[in-house]
Amino acid sequence: MTGPAERVETEFAETFGGKPEGRWWAPGRVNLIGEHTDYNDGFVLPLALEQGVAAAARPVDRPVLRVRSVQQEGTVELALAEIAPDTVSGWSAYVAGVAWALREAGHDVPGLEVVVDGDIPAGAGLSSSAALECAVAVAWNDLAGLDLSRDDLAAAAQRAENDVVGAPTGGMDQMASLHGRSGHAVFLDMRSLRAEQVPFDPPAAGLTLLVIDTRAPHAHVDGEYAERRRSCTQAAEILGVPALRDVSLDGLDDALARLGDGAEGDLLRMRVRHVVTENARVLDVVGALRSGDDPRVIGPALTASHASMRDDFEITVPEVDTAVAAALEAGAHGARMTGGGFGGCVLALVEADAVEAVLRAVEAAYEKAGFRAPSTFVATASDGARKL
Ligand code: ADP
Ligand code: MG
């Protein structure tokens, strides 16, 4: 089977002629647990996927960026000096943005000819954008001999997305793409931005981590996201803490009692309960994985995370609830929606020999409910961005 990593060299020759100086790769990611905790300075536990973006690149003498994507029309050419937040748009802004961010950080980056090619399912929330940024960032880092740390590369990729593309996303995706490791998940403290790789290898334990892309149409996502963030900020202000991360599980009841009366207080209580219990679940899961426990033990935490997103944070939709319920019914150890919500993917941790049964169960439940058939794949915890 040929994938992006193989195709990209041929595409490079067809686009620019000759051979690239090298090929680089950066993975997409899926979040195992820790949802809507990132902007509360909390904890997340993504893993880098097998799917990602390949970049074939060659430095050029002139200070220009020439970039082509196998997934898009045409080749884009930009003068490096002219790349700025208000001068680029569209998909090439993710690539140009990396050059801008590296230059802003004081690094000299050479002109570049680059072809990118990815295999991350579109619109599933598996972070093709970070994979694209990180593939190009590691390429430039090597070609310019910058010798930047993974954290610095993640920061540059995030700046590209925040400042040049204009998407107000946190740093989880880029950190996961750069710090991923085969057989491990990446535990991130979103306050300190420290990354720790914790062992997570379902296949070695006879398990499969299934990703069920519900393909549910996303609606009102931006507005709902902003509303959840506002509620969290408001609750933290009432509680007098910098962020909800500072409310411990032990202090939760106390905190909930101080959130005021009426419907507004009730709403804030639900939101805070999700964030505080979700952070605690991430730490529980990390604790179990760190001590080498059987990965099956994390199943209940995954399922509890889903219930919390459904009942307290109210970010699920019938498609994801149906997939989770059907997977659990068919014997999954745990299942939850992953990603920001209102659609997207469901993760299910299942015995390898129960995968077929779980898939049949989800398909049957979808057919009964009249939902469009989901697409599914296996998540394999993979290495982070690298030269191929
Ligand atoms: P996600 O990161 O969850 O996949 P985003 O909306 O953040 O979704 O990023 C998707 C965007 O990233 C695409 O619309 C496109 O502009 C860009 N992108 C991702 N992969 C590629 C690719 N292989 N080639 C060109 N652009 C890409
Ligand atoms: Mg993205």
Side-chain angles (χ1 to χ4, degrees):
M1 205 180 84
T2 59
E6 292 76 39
R7 279 197 306 255
V8 82
E9 193 149 10
T10 328
E11 292 289 337
F12 187 94
E14 279 169 22
T15 309
F16 299 118
K19 279 175 79 72
E21 180 114 350
R23 291 173 305 143
W24 288 262
W25 174 263
R29 62 96 188 96
V30 69
N31 194 20
L32 185 57
I33 191 164
E35 228 62 76
H36 287 260
T37 46
D38 56 346
Y39 54 82
N40 289 297
D41 274 5
F43 307 110
V44 294
L45 187 62
L47 45 104
L49 294 169
E50 245 173 345
Q51 293 81 2
V53 170
R58 179 172 66 196
V60 290
D61 290 340
R62 292 180 41 227
V64 294
L65 166 66
R66 294 191 197 104
V67 57
R68 162 167 148 65
S69 166
V70 174
Q71 279 73 45
Q72 303 280 344
E73 291 293 313
T75 302
V76 176
E77 174 157 347
L78 300 159
L80 290 182
E82 275 158 33
I83 297 170
D86 48 5
T87 61
V88 288
S89 61
W91 67 270
S92 61
Y94 293 90
V95 177
V98 172
W100 178 84
L102 289 172
R103 287 163 62 98
E104 283 286 299
H107 307 296
D108 207 10
V109 297
L112 201 69
E113 287 172 337
V114 56
V115 172
V116 296
D117 188 355
D119 64 355
I120 300 171
L126 301 172
S127 209
S128 63
S129 62
L132 176 57
E133 293 147 10
C134 293
V136 171
V138 288
W140 251 314
N141 183 49
D142 285 354
L143 291 171
L146 300 179
D147 215 13
L148 294 176
S149 69
R150 305 237 140 209
D151 288 349
D152 286 344
L153 290 170
Q158 190 190 346
R159 272 203 89 183
E161 183 145 345
N162 292 163
D163 297 354
V164 179
V165 175
T169 48
M172 161 165 67
D173 303 349
Q174 293 82 6
M175 287 290 276
S177 184
L178 281 153
H179 285 286
R181 183 167 161 197
S182 169
H184 290 71
V186 184
F187 172 46
L188 294 172
D189 177 334
M190 296 304 290
R191 173 167 279 167
S192 65
L193 281 182
R194 257 183 48 88
E196 176 194 341
Q197 296 153 334
V198 293
F200 179 62
D201 195 0
L207 295 168
T208 297
L209 186 65
L210 268 183
V211 181
I212 302 159
D213 180 358
T214 67
R215 303 200 296 161
H218 284 71
H220 315 299
V221 182
D222 293 348
E224 296 279 359
Y225 177 83
E227 191 272 334
R228 297 304 182 285
R229 267 190 98 132
R230 264 199 311 279
S231 291
C232 291
T233 309
Q234 191 189 346
E237 269 166 23
I238 295 172
L239 296 171
V241 291
L244 291 182
R245 185 263 180 71
D246 299 298
V247 179
S248 69
L249 195 56
D250 286 344
L252 178 59
D253 285 342
D254 235 28
L256 295 182
R258 291 165 49 209
L259 287 171
D261 303 320
E264 194 182 72
D266 289 342
L267 190 77
L268 291 183
R269 267 182 281 284
M270 290 161 64
R271 304 303 189 238
V272 170
R273 192 161 53 217
H274 167 72
V275 174
V276 174
T277 59
E278 185 77 352
N279 274 328
R281 281 185 289 270
V282 176
L283 294 179
D284 277 353
V285 167
V286 167
L289 297 178
R290 249 189 211 139
S291 43
D293 289 357
D294 184 326
R296 286 169 185 81
V297 303
I298 75 167
L302 302 182
T303 306
S305 168
H306 186 78
S308 179
M309 290 189 285
R310 182 189 61 211
D311 303 336
D312 279 342
F313 224 60
E314 299 182 300
I315 52 172
T316 69
V317 292
E319 285 87 343
V320 306
D321 292 335
T322 299
V324 166
L328 291 171
E329 179 80 7
H333 292 289
R336 63 182 288 274
M337 178 185 79
T338 179
F342 308 99
C345 293
V346 162
L347 279 181
L349 186 63
V350 304
E351 293 294 330
D353 61 13
V355 168
E356 281 309 308
V358 167
L359 291 180
R360 293 295 89 75
V362 172
E363 276 161 22
Y366 265 48
E367 208 174 299
K368 189 159 169 238
F371 299 146
R372 187 153 69 120
S375 63
T376 52
F377 67 92
V378 172
T380 305
S382 301
D383 284 331
R386 62 194 177 274
K387 188 165 196 285
L388 291 171

